[in-house]
Amino acid sequence: ISDLISNISQTVTMLNNYICDTDWQLLKTAYTQLEDTDSWNSKWDFTTDHHDAARLPGVSVSKGRVVVLDLTYNNLSGTFPYALLDLPALETLYASYNQRTGNLGEGLQTYVGQHPDAGKSVKHLDVSVNQLEGNIGLVASLLPSLTSLSASANHFSEVSPMISSGIFVELGGQTFDSEMNLTLKDATAASLAN
């Protein structure tokens, strides 16, 4: 009986960690496009084709679909991994405390122009404590389901269009090369500057 219970427990764990083939291939493709994955603190392992979330630290699934990616403190460098936004059920992306660079607004606009469904399910985005720049308002406008946006401690210089008052926003600790254009007529923000 103990062997049967153990087998059932293992089967349940496997089912809870199973990533559907579509999402597995999207993750694998995105991973191959990312820069310097050898330096990641928590590396993803695609050496077998078992579709097991346990092989991909920071990946959480529900009913076979990837719903959360937590890449916090993972020593990620280079530009933002836009291809991860192709995951159709992705609701939460944590990419804070890394060394991401580049113009996030322009990059996302270009990517969404080529992949119109990218990021449509994302509700929570945390890119704080990186080296990202550009227009954070544009980022918010391109993610239609967004309810919280943490982008503190970056180099953002513009918020246009104004971020919806329905989105919780953290923008404190920006390093500005120029003056930020910001009008707070209908928006609320948790922390705009420290």
Side-chain angles (χ1 to χ4, degrees):
I1 289 184
S2 65
D3 287 343
L4 178 60
I5 292 171
S6 176
N7 287 341
I8 291 171
S9 177
Q10 289 174 355
T11 301
V12 168
T13 300
M14 283 177 34
L15 290 174
N16 287 338
N17 285 335
Y18 176 77
I19 301 173
C20 73
D21 189 58
T22 302
D23 284 16
W24 181 263
Q25 293 306 323
L26 286 169
L27 287 169
K28 193 172 183 179
T29 299
Y31 187 73
T32 61
Q33 294 172 355
L34 294 170
E35 299 171 36
D36 199 18
T37 54
D38 288 338
S39 69
W40 283 25
N41 292 331
S42 299
K43 294 176 180 55
W44 287 354
D45 180 6
F46 291 101
T47 56
T48 65
D49 207 25
H50 287 232
H51 295 61
D52 185 359
R55 303 178 74 75
L56 310 177
V59 175
S60 298
V61 296
S62 176
K63 299 177 183 172
R65 303 316 298 246
V66 175
V67 292
V68 176
L69 288 175
D70 187 352
L71 303 173
T72 305
Y73 289 109
N74 208 22
N75 200 32
L76 278 67
S77 60
T79 57
F80 186 82
Y82 302 106
L84 295 174
L85 297 174
D86 287 331
L87 293 160
L90 182 65
E91 294 181 0
T92 302
L93 176 55
Y94 299 117
S96 59
Y97 293 92
N98 285 291
Q99 292 89 45
R100 288 291 178 198
T101 59
N103 189 315
L104 185 61
E106 287 181 8
L108 182 59
Q109 186 174 38
T110 299
Y111 194 82
V112 170
Q114 297 167 350
H115 305 260
D117 291 330
K120 284 196 171 179
S121 60
V122 175
K123 296 178 182 176
H124 311 285
L125 177 64
D126 186 349
V127 294
S128 54
V129 194
N130 276 282
Q131 298 164 30
L132 297 164
E133 59 188 39
N135 182 349
I136 195 64
L138 183 57
V139 172
S141 73
L142 292 167
L143 301 173
S145 299
L146 201 65
T147 61
S148 71
L149 174 61
S150 296
S152 300
N154 278 286
H155 307 290
F156 293 108
S157 58
E158 190 173 355
V159 182
S160 177
M162 182 50 59
I163 298 172
S164 164
S165 61
I167 300 174
F168 176 82
V169 179
E170 290 182 313
L171 291 177
Q174 297 299 320
T175 303
F176 300 114
D177 293 331
S178 61
E179 183 177 325
M180 179 182 264
N181 297 321
L182 179 63
T183 305
L184 292 176
K185 57 182 180 186
D186 294 326
T188 58
S191 173
L192 288 173
N194 291 337

Coordinates of all heavy atoms in Angstrom, one line a residue, residues 46-142:
F46 N 16.7 21.9 -20.2 CA 15.9 21.4 -21.3 C 16.6 20.1 -21.9 O 16.4 19.8 -23.0 CB 15.8 22.4 -22.4 CG 14.9 23.6 -22.1 CD1 15.4 24.8 -21.7 CD2 13.5 23.4 -22.1 CE1 14.6 25.8 -21.4 CE2 12.6 24.5 -21.8 CZ 13.2 25.7 -21.4
T47 N 17.5 19.5 -21.1 CA 18.2 18.4 -21.6 C 17.4 17.1 -21.9 O 17.7 16.3 -22.6 CB 19.4 18.0 -20.7 OG1 18.9 17.7 -19.4 CG2 20.4 19.1 -20.6
T48 N 16.2 17.1 -21.2 CA 15.2 16.0 -21.5 C 14.0 16.7 -22.0 O 13.8 17.9 -21.7 CB 14.9 15.1 -20.3 OG1 14.3 15.9 -19.3 CG2 16.2 14.5 -19.7
D49 N 13.1 15.9 -22.5 CA 11.8 16.5 -23.0 C 10.7 16.1 -22.2 O 9.6 15.7 -22.7 CB 11.6 16.1 -24.5 CG 10.8 17.1 -25.3 OD1 10.8 18.2 -24.9 OD2 10.2 16.7 -26.3
H50 N 10.8 16.1 -20.9 CA 9.8 15.7 -19.9 C 8.7 16.7 -19.6 O 7.8 16.4 -18.9 CB 10.5 15.2 -18.6 CG 11.1 13.9 -18.8 ND1 10.9 12.8 -18.0 CD2 12.0 13.5 -19.7 CE1 11.7 11.8 -18.4 NE2 12.4 12.2 -19.4
H51 N 8.9 17.9 -20.1 CA 7.9 19.0 -19.9 C 7.6 19.2 -18.4 O 6.5 19.4 -18.0 CB 6.6 18.7 -20.6 CG 6.8 18.7 -22.1 ND1 7.6 17.8 -22.8 CD2 6.2 19.4 -23.0 CE1 7.5 18.0 -24.1 NE2 6.7 19.0 -24.3
D52 N 8.6 19.2 -17.5 CA 8.5 19.3 -16.1 C 8.9 20.6 -15.6 O 10.1 21.0 -15.7 CB 9.3 18.1 -15.5 CG 9.1 18.0 -14.0 OD1 8.4 18.8 -13.4 OD2 9.8 17.1 -13.4
A53 N 8.0 21.3 -14.9 CA 8.3 22.7 -14.4 C 9.4 22.6 -13.3 O 10.1 23.6 -13.1 CB 7.0 23.3 -13.8
A54 N 9.5 21.5 -12.7 CA 10.6 21.3 -11.7 C 12.0 21.5 -12.3 O 12.9 21.8 -11.6 CB 10.5 20.0 -11.0
R55 N 12.1 21.3 -13.6 CA 13.4 21.5 -14.3 C 13.7 22.9 -14.6 O 14.7 23.2 -15.1 CB 13.4 20.6 -15.5 CG 13.2 19.1 -15.2 CD 13.2 18.3 -16.5 NE 14.5 18.1 -17.0 CZ 15.4 17.3 -16.5 NH1 15.1 16.6 -15.5 NH2 16.6 17.1 -17.1
L56 N 12.7 23.8 -14.4 CA 12.8 25.2 -14.8 C 12.5 26.1 -13.6 O 11.3 26.5 -13.4 CB 11.8 25.5 -15.9 CG 11.8 24.6 -17.2 CD1 10.7 25.0 -18.1 CD2 13.2 24.5 -17.8
P57 N 13.5 26.3 -12.7 CA 13.2 27.1 -11.5 C 12.6 28.5 -11.8 O 12.9 29.2 -12.8 CB 14.6 27.4 -11.0 CG 15.5 26.3 -11.5 CD 14.9 26.0 -12.9
G58 N 11.6 28.8 -11.1 CA 10.8 30.0 -11.2 C 9.6 29.9 -12.1 O 8.9 30.9 -12.3
V59 N 9.4 28.8 -12.7 CA 8.2 28.6 -13.6 C 7.1 27.9 -12.8 O 7.3 26.8 -12.2 CB 8.6 27.7 -14.8 CG1 7.4 27.4 -15.6 CG2 9.7 28.4 -15.6
S60 N 5.9 28.5 -12.8 CA 4.8 27.9 -12.1 C 3.7 27.7 -13.1 O 3.4 28.5 -14.0 CB 4.2 28.8 -11.0 OG 5.2 29.0 -10.0
V61 N 3.0 26.5 -13.0 CA 2.0 26.2 -14.0 C 0.6 25.9 -13.3 O 0.5 25.6 -12.1 CB 2.4 24.9 -14.8 CG1 3.6 25.2 -15.6 CG2 2.6 23.7 -13.9
S62 N -0.4 26.0 -14.1 CA -1.8 25.7 -13.7 C -2.4 25.0 -14.9 O -2.5 25.6 -16.0 CB -2.6 26.9 -13.3 OG -3.9 26.6 -13.0
K63 N -2.9 23.8 -14.7 CA -3.5 23.0 -15.8 C -2.6 22.9 -17.1 O -3.1 23.1 -18.2 CB -4.9 23.6 -16.1 CG -5.8 23.5 -14.9 CD -7.1 24.2 -15.2 CE -8.0 24.1 -14.0 NZ -9.2 24.9 -14.1
G64 N -1.3 22.8 -16.8 CA -0.4 22.6 -17.9 C 0.1 23.9 -18.6 O 1.0 23.9 -19.4
R65 N -0.5 25.1 -18.2 CA -0.1 26.4 -18.8 C 0.8 27.1 -17.8 O 0.6 27.2 -16.6 CB -1.3 27.2 -19.1 CG -2.4 26.6 -20.0 CD -1.9 25.9 -21.3 NE -1.1 26.7 -22.2 CZ -1.6 26.9 -23.5 NH1 -2.7 26.6 -23.9 NH2 -0.8 27.6 -24.3
V66 N 1.8 27.8 -18.3 CA 2.7 28.7 -17.5 C 1.9 29.9 -17.1 O 1.4 30.7 -18.0 CB 4.0 29.0 -18.3 CG1 4.8 30.0 -17.4 CG2 4.8 27.8 -18.6
V67 N 1.8 30.2 -15.8 CA 1.1 31.3 -15.3 C 2.0 32.3 -14.6 O 1.7 33.5 -14.5 CB -0.1 30.9 -14.4 CG1 -1.2 30.2 -15.2 CG2 0.3 30.1 -13.2
V68 N 3.1 31.8 -14.0 CA 4.0 32.7 -13.3 C 5.5 32.4 -13.7 O 5.8 31.2 -13.8 CB 3.9 32.5 -11.8 CG1 5.0 33.4 -11.1 CG2 2.5 32.9 -11.3
L69 N 6.2 33.4 -14.0 CA 7.7 33.3 -14.2 C 8.3 34.2 -13.2 O 8.1 35.4 -13.2 CB 8.0 33.8 -15.6 CG 7.7 32.9 -16.8 CD1 8.0 33.6 -18.1 CD2 8.4 31.6 -16.7
D70 N 9.2 33.7 -12.4 CA 9.9 34.4 -11.4 C 11.4 34.3 -11.7 O 12.0 33.3 -11.3 CB 9.6 33.9 -10.0 CG 10.2 34.8 -8.9 OD1 11.0 35.7 -9.2 OD2 9.9 34.6 -7.7
L71 N 11.9 35.3 -12.3 CA 13.3 35.4 -12.7 C 14.1 36.4 -11.8 O 15.2 36.8 -12.2 CB 13.5 35.7 -14.1 CG 12.7 34.8 -15.1 CD1 12.8 35.3 -16.5 CD2 13.3 33.4 -15.0
T72 N 13.5 36.7 -10.6 CA 14.2 37.6 -9.7 C 15.5 37.1 -9.2 O 15.7 35.9 -9.0 CB 13.2 37.8 -8.5 OG1 11.9 38.2 -8.9 CG2 13.8 38.9 -7.5
Y73 N 16.5 38.1 -9.1 CA 17.8 37.7 -8.6 C 18.4 36.6 -9.4 O 19.1 35.7 -8.8 CB 17.8 37.4 -7.1 CG 17.6 38.5 -6.2 CD1 16.4 38.6 -5.5 CD2 18.6 39.5 -6.0 CE1 16.1 39.6 -4.6 CE2 18.3 40.5 -5.1 CZ 17.1 40.6 -4.4 OH 16.9 41.6 -3.5
N74 N 18.3 36.6 -10.7 CA 18.8 35.4 -11.5 C 20.0 35.8 -12.4 O 20.4 35.0 -13.2 CB 17.6 34.9 -12.4 CG 17.8 33.4 -12.7 OD1 18.5 32.7 -11.9 ND2 17.2 32.9 -13.7
N75 N 20.5 37.0 -12.2 CA 21.7 37.4 -12.9 C 21.5 37.5 -14.4 O 22.3 37.1 -15.2 CB 22.9 36.5 -12.6 CG 24.2 37.2 -12.9 OD1 24.4 38.4 -12.8 ND2 25.2 36.4 -13.3
L76 N 20.3 37.9 -14.8 CA 19.9 38.1 -16.2 C 20.5 39.4 -16.7 O 20.4 40.4 -16.1 CB 18.4 38.1 -16.4 CG 17.7 36.8 -16.4 CD1 17.7 36.1 -15.1 CD2 16.2 37.0 -16.8
S77 N 21.1 39.3 -17.9 CA 21.7 40.5 -18.5 C 21.1 40.7 -19.9 O 20.4 39.8 -20.4 CB 23.2 40.4 -18.6 OG 23.6 39.2 -19.3
G78 N 21.4 41.8 -20.5 CA 20.9 42.0 -21.9 C 19.5 42.6 -21.9 O 19.0 43.1 -20.9
T79 N 18.9 42.6 -23.1 CA 17.6 43.2 -23.2 C 16.5 42.4 -22.6 O 16.7 41.2 -22.3 CB 17.3 43.4 -24.7 OG1 17.3 42.2 -25.4 CG2 18.2 44.4 -25.3
F80 N 15.3 43.0 -22.4 CA 14.2 42.3 -21.8 C 13.8 41.1 -22.7 O 13.8 41.1 -23.9 CB 13.0 43.3 -21.7 CG 11.8 42.7 -21.0 CD1 11.8 42.8 -19.6 CD2 10.8 42.2 -21.7 CE1 10.7 42.3 -18.9 CE2 9.7 41.7 -21.0 CZ 9.6 41.7 -19.6
P81 N 13.4 40.0 -22.0 CA 13.0 38.7 -22.8 C 11.6 38.8 -23.3 O 10.7 38.1 -22.8 CB 13.2 37.6 -21.7 CG 12.9 38.3 -20.4 CD 13.4 39.7 -20.6
Y82 N 11.3 39.6 -24.3 CA 10.0 39.8 -24.9 C 9.3 38.5 -25.3 O 8.1 38.3 -25.2 CB 10.0 40.7 -26.0 CG 10.6 42.1 -25.7 CD1 11.8 42.5 -26.1 CD2 9.8 43.0 -24.9 CE1 12.4 43.7 -25.8 CE2 10.4 44.2 -24.6 CZ 11.6 44.6 -25.0 OH 12.2 45.8 -24.7
A83 N 10.1 37.5 -25.8 CA 9.5 36.2 -26.2 C 8.8 35.5 -25.1 O 7.8 34.7 -25.4 CB 10.6 35.3 -26.8
L84 N 9.1 35.7 -23.9 CA 8.4 35.1 -22.8 C 6.9 35.6 -22.7 O 6.1 34.9 -22.2 CB 9.1 35.3 -21.4 CG 10.5 34.7 -21.3 CD1 11.1 35.2 -20.0 CD2 10.4 33.2 -21.4
L85 N 6.6 36.7 -23.3 CA 5.3 37.3 -23.3 C 4.4 36.6 -24.2 O 3.2 36.8 -24.3 CB 5.3 38.8 -23.6 CG 6.1 39.6 -22.5 CD1 6.1 41.1 -23.0 CD2 5.4 39.6 -21.2
D86 N 4.9 35.7 -25.1 CA 4.1 34.8 -26.0 C 3.4 33.7 -25.2 O 2.5 33.1 -25.8 CB 5.0 34.2 -27.1 CG 5.4 35.3 -28.1 OD1 4.7 36.2 -28.3 OD2 6.5 35.1 -28.7
L87 N 3.7 33.5 -24.0 CA 3.0 32.4 -23.2 C 1.6 32.9 -23.0 O 1.3 33.9 -22.4 CB 3.7 32.2 -21.9 CG 5.1 31.6 -22.0 CD1 5.9 31.8 -20.7 CD2 5.0 30.1 -22.3
P88 N 0.6 32.2 -23.6 CA -0.8 32.7 -23.6 C -1.5 32.8 -22.3 O -2.4 33.6 -22.2 CB -1.5 31.7 -24.5 CG -0.7 30.4 -24.5 CD 0.7 30.9 -24.2
A89 N -1.0 32.1 -21.2 CA -1.7 32.2 -19.9 C -0.9 32.9 -18.9 O -1.2 32.9 -17.7 CB -2.1 30.8 -19.4
L90 N 0.3 33.5 -19.3 CA 1.2 34.1 -18.4 C 0.5 35.3 -17.7 O 0.1 36.2 -18.4 CB 2.4 34.6 -19.1 CG 3.5 35.2 -18.2 CD1 4.1 34.2 -17.1 CD2 4.6 35.8 -19.0
E91 N 0.4 35.3 -16.4 CA -0.3 36.4 -15.6 C 0.8 37.2 -14.9 O 0.5 38.4 -14.6 CB -1.3 35.8 -14.6 CG -2.5 35.1 -15.3 CD -3.5 34.6 -14.3 OE1 -3.3 34.7 -13.1 OE2 -4.5 34.0 -14.8
T92 N 1.9 36.6 -14.4 CA 2.8 37.3 -13.6 C 4.2 37.1 -14.1 O 4.6 35.9 -14.3 CB 2.7 36.8 -12.1 OG1 1.4 37.0 -11.7 CG2 3.7 37.5 -11.2
L93 N 5.0 38.2 -14.3 CA 6.4 38.1 -14.7 C 7.2 38.9 -13.7 O 7.0 40.2 -13.7 CB 6.6 38.5 -16.1 CG 8.0 38.6 -16.6 CD1 8.7 37.3 -16.4 CD2 8.0 39.0 -18.1
Y94 N 8.0 38.3 -12.9 CA 9.0 39.0 -12.0 C 10.3 38.9 -12.7 O 10.9 37.8 -12.8 CB 9.0 38.3 -10.7 CG 7.7 38.3 -9.9 CD1 7.1 37.1 -9.6 CD2 7.1 39.4 -9.5 CE1 5.9 37.0 -8.9 CE2 5.9 39.4 -8.8 CZ 5.3 38.2 -8.5 OH 4.1 38.2 -7.8
A95 N 10.9 40.0 -13.0 CA 12.3 40.1 -13.6 C 13.1 41.1 -12.9 O 14.0 41.7 -13.5 CB 12.2 40.4 -15.1
S96 N 12.8 41.4 -11.6 CA 13.5 42.4 -10.8 C 14.9 41.9 -10.4 O 15.2 40.7 -10.4 CB 12.7 42.9 -9.7 OG 12.4 41.8 -8.8
Y97 N 15.7 42.9 -10.0 CA 17.1 42.6 -9.4 C 17.9 41.8 -10.4 O 18.5 40.8 -10.1 CB 17.0 41.9 -8.0 CG 16.4 42.8 -7.0 CD1 15.0 42.8 -6.7 CD2 17.2 43.7 -6.3 CE1 14.5 43.7 -5.8 CE2 16.7 44.6 -5.3 CZ 15.3 44.5 -5.1 OH 14.8 45.4 -4.1
N98 N 18.0 42.3 -11.6 CA 18.9 41.7 -12.6 C 19.6 42.9 -13.3 O 19.7 44.0 -12.8 CB 18.0 41.0 -13.7 CG 17.5 39.6 -13.1 OD1 18.3 38.7 -12.9 ND2 16.2 39.5 -12.8
Q99 N 20.2 42.6 -14.4 CA 21.0 43.7 -15.2 C 20.4 43.9 -16.6 O 21.1 44.0 -17.6 CB 22.4 43.3 -15.3 CG 23.2 43.3 -14.0 CD 23.1 41.9 -13.3 OE1 23.3 40.9 -13.9 NE2 22.9 42.0 -12.0
R100 N 19.0 43.9 -16.6 CA 18.4 44.1 -17.9 C 18.6 45.5 -18.4 O 18.5 46.5 -17.6 CB 16.9 43.9 -17.8 CG 16.5 42.4 -17.6 CD 16.8 41.7 -18.9 NE 16.6 40.3 -18.8 CZ 17.1 39.4 -19.6 NH1 17.9 39.8 -20.6 NH2 16.9 38.1 -19.5
T101 N 18.8 45.7 -19.7 CA 19.1 47.0 -20.3 C 18.2 47.3 -21.5 O 17.5 46.4 -21.9 CB 20.6 47.1 -20.7 OG1 20.8 46.1 -21.7 CG2 21.5 47.0 -19.5
G102 N 18.2 48.5 -22.0 CA 17.5 48.8 -23.2 C 16.2 49.6 -23.0 O 15.8 49.8 -21.8
N103 N 15.6 50.0 -24.1 CA 14.4 50.8 -24.0 C 13.2 49.9 -24.0 O 12.8 49.3 -25.0 CB 14.4 51.8 -25.3 CG 13.2 52.8 -25.2 OD1 12.1 52.4 -24.8 ND2 13.5 54.0 -25.5
L104 N 12.7 49.7 -22.8 CA 11.6 48.7 -22.6 C 10.3 49.1 -23.4 O 9.7 48.2 -24.0 CB 11.3 48.6 -21.1 CG 10.2 47.5 -20.8 CD1 10.8 46.1 -21.2 CD2 10.0 47.6 -19.3
G105 N 9.9 50.3 -23.4 CA 8.7 50.7 -24.2 C 8.8 50.5 -25.7 O 8.0 49.9 -26.3
E106 N 9.9 51.0 -26.3 CA 10.1 50.8 -27.7 C 10.3 49.3 -28.1 O 9.7 48.9 -29.1 CB 11.3 51.6 -28.2 CG 11.1 53.1 -28.3 CD 12.3 53.9 -28.8 OE1 13.3 53.2 -29.2 OE2 12.3 55.1 -28.7
G107 N 11.0 48.6 -27.3 CA 11.2 47.2 -27.5 C 9.9 46.4 -27.5 O 9.6 45.6 -28.3
L108 N 9.1 46.7 -26.4 CA 7.8 46.0 -26.3 C 6.9 46.4 -27.5 O 6.2 45.6 -28.0 CB 7.2 46.3 -25.0 CG 5.8 45.7 -24.7 CD1 6.0 44.1 -24.7 CD2 5.3 46.1 -23.3
Q109 N 6.9 47.7 -27.8 CA 6.0 48.1 -28.9 C 6.4 47.4 -30.2 O 5.5 46.9 -31.0 CB 6.1 49.6 -29.1 CG 5.2 50.2 -30.2 CD 5.2 51.7 -30.2 OE1 6.3 52.3 -30.1 NE2 4.1 52.3 -30.4
T110 N 7.6 47.3 -30.5 CA 8.1 46.5 -31.7 C 7.7 45.1 -31.6 O 7.2 44.5 -32.6 CB 9.6 46.7 -31.8 OG1 10.0 48.0 -32.0 CG2 10.1 45.9 -33.0
Y111 N 7.9 44.5 -30.5 CA 7.6 43.0 -30.3 C 6.1 42.8 -30.5 O 5.7 41.9 -31.2 CB 8.1 42.5 -29.0 CG 8.1 41.0 -29.0 CD1 9.1 40.3 -29.5 CD2 7.0 40.3 -28.4 CE1 9.1 38.9 -29.6 CE2 7.0 38.9 -28.5 CZ 8.1 38.2 -29.0 OH 8.1 36.8 -29.1
V112 N 5.3 43.6 -29.8 CA 3.8 43.4 -29.9 C 3.3 43.7 -31.3 O 2.4 43.1 -31.8 CB 3.1 44.3 -28.9 CG1 1.6 44.4 -29.1 CG2 3.4 43.8 -27.4
G113 N 4.0 44.6 -32.0 CA 3.6 44.9 -33.4 C 3.8 43.6 -34.3 O 3.1 43.4 -35.2
Q114 N 4.8 42.8 -33.9 CA 5.1 41.6 -34.7 C 4.4 40.4 -34.1 O 4.1 39.4 -34.8 CB 6.6 41.3 -34.7 CG 7.4 42.4 -35.4 CD 8.9 42.2 -35.1 OE1 9.3 41.5 -34.2 NE2 9.7 43.0 -35.8
H115 N 4.0 40.4 -32.8 CA 3.3 39.3 -32.1 C 2.1 39.9 -31.4 O 2.2 40.2 -30.2 CB 4.2 38.7 -31.1 CG 5.5 38.2 -31.7 ND1 5.7 36.9 -32.0 CD2 6.7 38.8 -32.0 CE1 6.9 36.7 -32.5 NE2 7.5 37.9 -32.6
P116 N 1.0 40.2 -32.1 CA -0.1 40.9 -31.5 C -0.7 40.4 -30.2 O -1.3 41.1 -29.4 CB -1.2 41.0 -32.6 CG -0.4 40.7 -33.9 CD 0.8 39.8 -33.5
D117 N -0.6 39.1 -30.0 CA -1.2 38.5 -28.8 C -0.2 38.5 -27.6 O -0.6 38.1 -26.5 CB -1.6 37.0 -29.1 CG -2.8 37.0 -30.0 OD1 -3.6 37.9 -30.0 OD2 -2.9 36.0 -30.8
A118 N 1.0 38.9 -27.8 CA 2.0 38.9 -26.7 C 1.6 39.8 -25.5 O 1.2 40.9 -25.7 CB 3.4 39.4 -27.2
G119 N 1.7 39.2 -24.4 CA 1.4 40.0 -23.1 C 0.0 40.3 -22.8 O -0.3 40.9 -21.8
K120 N -0.9 39.7 -23.6 CA -2.4 40.0 -23.3 C -2.9 39.5 -22.0 O -3.8 40.1 -21.5 CB -3.2 39.5 -24.5 CG -3.1 40.3 -25.7 CD -4.2 40.0 -26.7 CE -4.1 41.0 -27.8 NZ -5.2 40.8 -28.8
S121 N -2.3 38.5 -21.4 CA -2.8 38.0 -20.2 C -2.0 38.5 -18.9 O -2.4 38.2 -17.8 CB -2.8 36.4 -20.2 OG -1.5 36.0 -20.4
V122 N -0.9 39.2 -19.2 CA -0.1 39.7 -18.1 C -0.8 40.7 -17.2 O -1.2 41.7 -17.6 CB 1.2 40.3 -18.6 CG1 2.1 40.8 -17.5 CG2 2.0 39.2 -19.3
K123 N -0.9 40.3 -15.9 CA -1.6 41.2 -14.9 C -0.6 41.9 -14.0 O -0.8 43.0 -13.6 CB -2.5 40.4 -14.0 CG -3.7 39.8 -14.8 CD -4.6 39.0 -13.9 CE -5.7 38.3 -14.6 NZ -6.5 37.5 -13.8
H124 N 0.6 41.2 -13.7 CA 1.6 41.7 -12.8 C 2.9 41.7 -13.5 O 3.4 40.6 -13.9 CB 1.6 40.9 -11.5 CG 0.2 40.7 -10.9 ND1 -0.5 41.7 -10.3 CD2 -0.6 39.6 -11.0 CE1 -1.6 41.2 -9.9 NE2 -1.7 39.9 -10.3
L125 N 3.6 42.9 -13.6 CA 4.9 42.9 -14.2 C 5.8 43.7 -13.2 O 5.5 44.8 -12.7 CB 4.9 43.7 -15.5 CG 6.2 43.9 -16.2 CD1 6.9 42.6 -16.6 CD2 6.1 44.8 -17.4
D126 N 6.9 43.0 -12.8 CA 7.9 43.6 -11.9 C 9.3 43.6 -12.6 O 9.9 42.6 -12.8 CB 8.0 42.9 -10.6 CG 8.9 43.6 -9.6 OD1 9.7 44.5 -10.0 OD2 8.9 43.1 -8.4
V127 N 9.7 44.8 -13.1 CA 11.0 45.0 -13.7 C 11.9 45.9 -12.9 O 12.9 46.4 -13.4 CB 10.9 45.5 -15.1 CG1 10.2 44.4 -16.0 CG2 10.2 46.8 -15.2
S128 N 11.6 46.0 -11.6 CA 12.4 47.0 -10.7 C 13.8 46.5 -10.6 O 14.1 45.3 -10.7 CB 11.7 47.1 -9.4 OG 11.4 45.9 -8.8
V129 N 14.6 47.5 -10.3 CA 16.1 47.3 -10.0 C 16.8 46.6 -11.2 O 17.3 45.5 -11.1 CB 16.3 46.6 -8.7 CG1 17.8 46.7 -8.3 CG2 15.5 47.1 -7.5
N130 N 16.7 47.3 -12.3 CA 17.4 46.9 -13.5 C 18.0 48.2 -14.1 O 18.2 49.1 -13.3 CB 16.4 46.3 -14.5 CG 16.2 44.8 -14.3 OD1 17.0 43.9 -14.6 ND2 15.1 44.4 -13.7
Q131 N 18.3 48.2 -15.4 CA 18.9 49.4 -16.0 C 18.1 49.7 -17.2 O 18.6 50.2 -18.3 CB 20.4 49.1 -16.4 CG 21.2 48.8 -15.1 CD 22.5 48.2 -15.5 OE1 23.1 48.4 -16.6 NE2 23.1 47.4 -14.6
L132 N 16.8 49.5 -17.1 CA 15.8 49.8 -18.3 C 15.6 51.3 -18.4 O 15.6 52.0 -17.4 CB 14.6 49.0 -18.0 CG 14.7 47.5 -18.0 CD1 13.5 46.8 -17.4 CD2 15.0 46.9 -19.4
E133 N 15.2 51.7 -19.6 CA 15.0 53.1 -19.9 C 13.8 53.2 -20.8 O 13.2 52.3 -21.2 CB 16.2 53.7 -20.5 CG 16.6 53.1 -21.8 CD 18.0 53.6 -22.3 OE1 18.9 53.9 -21.4 OE2 18.1 53.8 -23.5
G134 N 13.4 54.5 -21.1 CA 12.4 54.8 -22.1 C 11.1 55.2 -21.4 O 11.1 55.9 -20.4
N135 N 10.0 54.9 -22.0 CA 8.7 55.4 -21.7 C 7.9 54.2 -21.0 O 7.4 53.3 -21.6 CB 7.9 55.8 -23.0 CG 6.6 56.4 -22.7 OD1 6.0 56.3 -21.6 ND2 6.0 57.0 -23.7
I136 N 7.7 54.3 -19.7 CA 7.0 53.3 -18.9 C 5.5 53.4 -19.2 O 4.8 52.4 -19.0 CB 7.4 53.4 -17.4 CG1 7.0 52.1 -16.6 CG2 6.8 54.7 -16.8 CD1 7.7 50.9 -17.1
G137 N 5.0 54.5 -19.5 CA 3.6 54.6 -19.9 C 3.2 53.8 -21.1 O 2.2 53.2 -21.2
L138 N 4.2 53.8 -22.1 CA 4.0 53.0 -23.3 C 3.9 51.5 -22.9 O 3.1 50.7 -23.4 CB 5.1 53.2 -24.3 CG 5.1 52.5 -25.6 CD1 3.8 52.8 -26.4 CD2 6.3 52.9 -26.4
V139 N 4.8 51.0 -22.0 CA 4.7 49.6 -21.5 C 3.4 49.3 -21.0 O 2.7 48.3 -21.4 CB 5.8 49.4 -20.4 CG1 5.7 48.0 -19.8 CG2 7.2 49.6 -21.0
A140 N 2.8 50.1 -20.1 CA 1.5 49.9 -19.5 C 0.4 49.8 -20.5 O -0.5 49.0 -20.4 CB 1.2 50.9 -18.4
S141 N 0.5 50.7 -21.5 CA -0.5 50.7 -22.6 C -0.5 49.5 -23.5 O -1.6 49.2 -24.1 CB -0.4 52.0 -23.4 OG 0.7 51.9 -24.3
L142 N 0.6 48.8 -23.5 CA 0.7 47.7 -24.4 C 0.3 46.3 -23.7 O 0.3 45.3 -24.4 CB 2.1 47.6 -25.0 CG 2.5 48.7 -25.9 CD1 4.0 48.7 -26.2 CD2 1.7 48.5 -27.3

